Amino acid sequence: MPDTRFRVVTFNVLGTRFSQTWDQRRNAVLSRLGHVLRRTAPARASVYLLTECGADERSFLKANLPGPYLTWSRGAQTILFDTAKWRHSTVGSMDLGTTDYHGAVWAPLQHLEADRTVVFCAFHLPPKGLVGQRFQKQRFRLLLSALDTFATCVIGGDANNRHAPRWARDFGLVSAIRAPQRVNHDRTTLDPFVVGAPIDHLLGRGISWRSYLNQDAGSASDHQMVTARATAPAA
């Protein structure tokens, strides 16, 4: 069995604006999705782990990304994957907050070329200011416990806390930012919150991170899009 090599992205689309309709939020959302959709973008990936990505955003992405993409979703948490490279089987989900708005969805995807299964998970924790850091950590560890039976997994999403990689260490998960950074931050804003305290994370177990890239989503967002290249070694 050969190594399984892939590129993965996590990104808070900020598409779910509560009472707004798609027509009302469309232009703002599309400006953020431009990072993913640019033909020469280094973010091009076969798996996207997205948060605040509603039904309209999913439809738009599937229609505009090259190749046949499918989605697994739980509310606004979405796994978008290239069916020319991956085959899906089952899906799981979990609530992570006091409302349905925050949660996680995961799916085992089988890499068609390498015949290797990797479990991918998109998650969104509630804000620290709303529930407190202790609650965030407790719910995140509950999610990681549910995924602990999977030897090879990639978890990406909005933790609303910069400490999530530290919380994940006990479960053998390593942050993508431990890998070499491909280029400097592509900053479209100098918001110190984005630069100094990233809250969007890619974590993996049973893989090695080859490189990563952070891109700011624009002045209207406090999120970064994290792109990484990974390898699951041959079994």
Side-chain angles (χ1 to χ4, degrees):
M1 182 185 296
D3 290 349
T4 306
R5 299 168 68 90
F6 57 90
R7 189 182 299 180
V8 60
V9 164
T10 191
F11 185 36
N12 186 320
V13 176
L14 283 171
T16 307
R17 307 319 303 154
F18 301 102
S19 62
Q20 286 187 341
T21 66
W22 170 244
D23 288 338
Q24 291 171 320
R25 68 180 188 267
R26 184 177 188 277
N27 289 340
V29 170
L30 297 190
S31 68
R32 299 182 183 107
L33 291 178
H35 277 303
V36 176
L37 297 174
R38 281 200 296 265
R39 295 289 171 177
T40 58
R44 188 71 64 211
S46 62
V47 180
Y48 295 85
L49 305 175
L50 305 173
T51 55
E52 294 198 48
C53 183
D56 292 309
E57 287 77 22
R58 291 194 291 269
S59 297
F60 180 84
L61 281 166
K62 288 193 328 187
N64 287 275
L65 282 168
Y69 280 80
L70 286 179
T71 61
W72 282 117
S73 61
R74 177 217 165 272
Q77 294 90 51
T78 297
I79 301 171
L80 180 72
F81 63 96
D82 185 348
T83 58
K85 296 182 179 179
W86 300 92
R87 179 187 295 119
H88 69 278
S89 53
T90 59
V91 64
S93 64
M94 176 183 291
D95 292 340
L96 293 177
T98 56
T99 69
D100 188 58
Y101 188 72
H102 298 99
V105 60
W106 61 86
L109 301 183
Q110 181 184 7
H111 194 273
L112 297 178
E113 182 179 345
D115 193 28
R116 177 73 173 271
T117 297
V118 180
V119 175
F120 290 92
C121 174
F123 75 94
H124 190 187
L125 290 176
K128 182 171 63 175
L130 179 66
V131 298
Q133 181 166 287
R134 183 177 180 180
F135 181 90
Q136 285 183 312
K137 183 178 180 179
Q138 179 190 51
R139 300 302 292 179
F140 190 51
R141 290 178 65 87
L142 185 65
L143 169 64
L144 299 183
S145 295
L147 300 174
D148 204 33
T149 57
F150 302 115
T152 307
C153 64
V154 174
I155 302 171
D158 174 8
N160 271 308
N161 197 305
R162 63 188 177 92
H163 296 301
R166 189 174 66 192
W167 301 340
R169 289 176 191 167
D170 291 343
F171 295 87
L173 288 152
V174 177
S175 173
I177 64 173
R178 301 272 303 268
Q181 188 170 345
R182 295 186 61 231
V183 298
N184 292 329
H185 287 271
D186 175 21
R187 294 188 179 123
T188 54
T189 173
L190 296 179
D191 182 347
F193 181 76
V194 175
V195 176
I199 58 177
D200 305 282
H201 305 281
L202 270 176
L203 307 162
R205 179 175 60 237
I207 64 163
S208 59
W209 296 112
R210 304 197 311 274
S211 64
Y212 86 102
L213 170 66
N214 280 356
Q215 290 178 287
D216 285 355
S219 58
S221 173
D222 60 359
H223 294 280
Q224 293 174 327
M225 182 172 71
V226 186
T227 304
R229 298 173 184 264
T231 299

